[in-house]
Structures are given as structure tokens and as C-alpha cells.
Amino acid sequence: MAYTHGVYVYENPTSIVPPITADSAVQFVVGTAPINLLENPAEAVNKPIVIYSFAEAVQKIGYSDSFDKFSICECIDASFRIYNVAPLVVVNVLDPEEHVTYVVDEVYELGNGEIVIDKEGVLLKDFLVKSQDGMTTYEKDIDYTVEFTNEGYIKVTVLESGSISEEASQLSFAYDQLDPTVITEADIIGGYDAVTGKYTGLENINQVYPRMGIVPGLIVCPGWSNKVNVGKVMSAKTEGINGSFKCNAVKDIDTTADNGAVTYSDVKAWKGDNDYTGSHDIVCWPMVKVGSKKYHFSALAAALIAYTDAVNEGVPYVSPSNKQFRISGTILEDGREVYLDQVQANLLNGNGITTAINVNGWKSWGSRTGAYPASSDPKDSFIPVRRMFDWWGNTFIMTYFQKVDDPMNKRLIESIVDSENIRANGYKARGQIADARMEFVLEDNPITDLLNGSIRFKQYLTPYPPSVTITNVLEFDPAALTAALGG
């Protein structure tokens, strides 16, 4: 040890650890997107991409109002245009190397030196412009220019300086076109390719935190979550993300005539038969519309949940039920409108299903998870309580990961207990929880665990359940009538 002479100051780490808050409602969206609009479509395939604005979505993943083809765009529209919430983490499974149709010798009329190919999904790579007889292939930027219109169509403009004859009345085209119809449930579910080391589909959820430092809060797959195999995998992915994090799956019940529930009385059976009954499931019925646009309920519900959290300091203690639902109607897949009264909607709520009712404007309606009524445990059956437990646990993991492998001494234990209790007191003072407290109980920590470097804390967490029923008992008081008449 060096010889010392004088006055010195040393610093200890702060014993109270400031929390690292986990975002409560970051949407993890898996589906298809019009990546042909990008400069390099291959870069947007089967990897998580974080998006913070509509403009960024257009730039990174592409956008189209054709939700039936490009399902991710439902969430982009709902989140950025309707509720103005961010971010989204999206995974596009549409691959321009696999999911394409090759179009050859397609002839269009040439008018005023322009041709618009009114199809979406056309890829510019290997896009060929030929003479009407197909014998001459013209060169881009020499004989013609090509660009996308606002609708996502291809516009070809003939250059006067090029070799395309002024007398030409038609041109022939050959190109690859994205084909979302060949996407299967297996593509959405995804997996891991040991040869390429690549994750696909929903399996990418474990890539979000390592890549971006973001913990997913909601899993959303509009257009696919109503398919049972996909729905089951979504539920499985809500727990054990990166080995420890948890989230919720926002799922749709099928509204098609062939396999779904087309009346409210059919919904309970569909939910039970297909096991949409997880405590991390938020189960929705039917579909919704905004103007002429048709959405799966899950896309709007997830955006509403994120918005509700955002206006409540990012803490998921408030139920999304009975909040303004920015829609213009509820519908089935075929477009038929559905109007539920409160009694019918309550029947769905009583079976763990979220819906919407029109009472002084459209409102979301339902605070129960898919686990209800099989489970009445508040932590598993109420959406805000379940989400508070997940969010609280995720925050704990992120905050104290820095303490792993520190010496297991009394200072470590006191630091964690004190920090958590101070954190809890703040949320309690703001009325966001009823109570929370942490204890270190020696009896819960056998010597065998301690010798193995394992310590266990016990934390009591009590979020407020939502007030799903408010009752006022009215009674006529004859004595008041007598008193009023001077008797």
C-alpha cells in the first residue's frame, strides 16, 4: 500500500439505486409491410426495427392503406395517425427473395409519355421496360425514369432524349411483385435457422432488448392473431422474454363466417374452444372501422393502451376500458356492422373479452384478461393489475441487473430493499398503487442457497383494481315528503 500523508476523500456508490423504468406499452408487431418501396428491401426482412414516427415508418418499412396485404401498416396507422403514440418495434416477414410473383410481358398503353402500373408490391430490382414486341430492352435513366406514386404504384416516364420512339403506343414490362398471399402462419410464428443464425417472425422478440435496450410491452399481430396457432405462440412469448421479462398479447377473435364468431353469443365458445384464456392475453372482438378503413380490433386496442399509459406518466395502472375509442364503428370481417348494447357487451366482458360500445361516443369496454372467469385472482384477471405486475417486475430486473455478482453482503441487501421501498412510496403517494413493500426474510434464504450465491427478497405489490361496477341504491323517503308538506 502506498504511503499517505494529508487529507483524502473517497466515494462510495450511492446506496439508493435510481430505477431504470421499463417502457410499459412498447408494441412488438409482426406481419407484412410494403418493403418494395424501400431503396434496399432486403434490409427490412425478419429483424426488429424500431420506429418513432409515421415519417420514419415510411422510410424504414414502407406504408400502404392496403391493410389486407400489409398488416403492419394497421398498427402504424393506429399508433401514429390515430393515437400519436410511439415507439413501435416491427418485424416484417415478407421476403422479396421468396414471397414474390414474377410478371412477364405485361403490356400497358402509353399516354402522354407516361405509364402507371396500378399494382402494389412491384419491386424495382430487375424491373424491365421493353418494346411492345419484347425485342428491345430499354435502359433506366437513359430511356425512361421510374418512381413510386403516393398510392405505391409504379410510374414510368419516357425521356425525350432516349431511344423509345415517339410513335410507340405501348410498352411491355417484366418485374417481381411481392405476394403477401403466400405468407403462412409458420412465417409469422417463425423460428431460428441454425445454419444462417437468423431469427424469423415472433422469435425475434428475444432480439429486441439485446439490440435496442427496449422491453416489449405488447405483442400485436393484426390479421394473424385470430389464427389459433399464431395466437398460442403469442401467448407463449409473453413470458420468459430474454429469460426474464414479461409482456401481454393483444389478440383478436376470428369474425369470419367460416371459422369465427359472427354474433356476440358465439364469442364465448370460440374463446374457450381455442384456448384464448391466458392471464397475459387481452382478447378482442369484433373488428373496427375508422371512416372507410377496416382494422383488426387489436391494432386500435394496443394503440389505446399505449396512449392510456402515456397520459398517466407511463405507469400502466389505469384500465384502457371506458376510454375514448377513436373509431367510427364495429364490424365483422365482411364489413357488416355490429352494434352491442351494454348488456351484450357485459356478457363478453364477463367472459374475459374486450369490445366496444357507443355510449356518448365510442368507448372501449372491458378490463378483464383472457384468464377470466376461470381465474378471479386480481393479478391475473384484471388487465391493469396484470400489466402493473409485469411492468414492475421488468423494471426491477433492469434496475438491479447492475448488482448481479456484487458481494452478497448486508450493504447489497439494504441497498435493494431501501431503493425499492423508496420507489414504492413515490407511486403510492401519487395514487398509482395502494401499497408496495419489500422485505428480506432470512427464513426464505436457506444456507444452501446463500452458499450458492442466491438471495431471495419478498415484495408485496398492490395495484388498484379497476372499479368495474358502481352501484347507487335509491330509496323513497316518505318522512321527507311529510316534512316538506309541513306535517
Side-chain angles (χ1 to χ4, degrees), residues 196-234:
T196 63
K198 189 173 184 179
Y199 294 88
T200 60
L202 283 163
E203 201 65 31
N204 274 288
I205 195 168
N206 289 304
Q207 293 290 295
V208 177
Y209 186 70
R211 285 174 179 256
M212 305 166 183
I214 295 173
V215 179
L218 303 169
I219 302 175
V220 197
C221 298
W224 294 97
S225 63
N226 57 312
K227 303 181 188 303
V228 177
N229 292 331
V230 174
K232 288 182 177 180
V233 174
M234 289 173 65

Side-chain angles (χ1 to χ4, degrees), residues 392-401 416 420 423 438:
W392 196 278
N394 291 345
T395 300
F396 181 86
I397 293 166
M398 295 176 67
T399 300
Y400 299 105
F401 193 86
I416 294 175
E420 278 298 283
R423 177 167 80 105
M438 174 172 277

Side-chain angles (χ1 to χ4, degrees), residues 196-418:
T196 63
K198 189 173 184 179
Y199 294 88
T200 60
L202 283 163
E203 201 65 31
N204 274 288
I205 195 168
N206 289 304
Q207 293 290 295
V208 177
Y209 186 70
R211 285 174 179 256
M212 305 166 183
I214 295 173
V215 179
L218 303 169
I219 302 175
V220 197
C221 298
W224 294 97
S225 63
N226 57 312
K227 303 181 188 303
V228 177
N229 292 331
V230 174
K232 288 182 177 180
V233 174
M234 289 173 65
S235 297
K237 294 297 181 185
T238 59
E239 299 187 69
I241 304 168
N242 301 118
S244 52
F245 298 123
K246 296 180 181 180
C247 70
N248 291 265
V250 189
K251 298 159 64 171
D252 293 294
I253 287 178
D254 195 346
T255 64
T256 63
D258 293 334
N259 303 305
V262 295
T263 66
Y264 80 95
S265 57
D266 297 331
V267 178
K268 174 186 176 181
W270 194 100
K271 175 189 177 241
D273 292 344
N274 293 291
D275 197 28
Y276 278 35
T277 55
S279 61
H280 292 270
D281 290 347
I282 300 173
V283 185
C284 307
W285 186 89
M287 296 179 66
V288 299
K289 66 177 182 177
V290 179
S292 60
K293 292 182 182 179
K294 181 171 67 175
Y295 301 77
H296 289 88
F297 200 115
S298 60
L300 269 295
L304 172 60
I305 290 170
Y307 177 79
T308 303
D309 288 1
V311 298
N312 289 285
E313 302 180 309
V315 183
Y317 74 103
V318 177
S319 173
S321 180
N322 200 23
K323 303 299 184 292
Q324 182 186 6
F325 208 27
R326 299 175 183 177
I327 64 173
S328 54
T330 48
I331 57 174
L332 302 177
E333 175 67 38
D334 60 11
R336 283 182 291 166
E337 290 192 305
V338 176
Y339 283 92
L340 299 178
D341 63 25
Q342 189 173 337
V343 173
Q344 295 167 330
N346 286 353
L347 177 64
L348 298 182
N349 292 172
N351 287 285
I353 299 152
T354 296
T355 189
I357 57 175
N358 190 4
V359 179
N360 296 321
W362 284 98
K363 303 292 194 303
S364 61
W365 197 248
S367 290
R368 296 288 190 175
T369 70
Y372 192 77
S375 172
S376 58
D377 184 338
K379 112 182 144 53
D380 292 326
S381 63
F382 282 122
I383 291 172
V385 178
R386 176 66 265 164
R387 295 187 62 240
M388 278 293 290
F389 266 78
D390 295 340
W391 174 78
W392 196 278
N394 291 345
T395 300
F396 181 86
I397 293 166
M398 295 176 67
T399 300
Y400 299 105
F401 193 86
Q402 60 187 300
K403 295 292 187 180
V404 173
D405 292 327
D406 280 2
M408 190 176 60
N409 54 25
K410 192 172 183 180
R411 174 177 290 178
L412 173 68
I413 293 170
E414 290 177 346
S415 171
I416 294 175
V417 171
D418 291 346

Side-chain angles (χ1 to χ4, degrees), residues 1-10:
M1 183 175 179
Y3 177 77
T4 59
H5 184 196
V7 180
Y8 302 90
V9 174
Y10 299 95

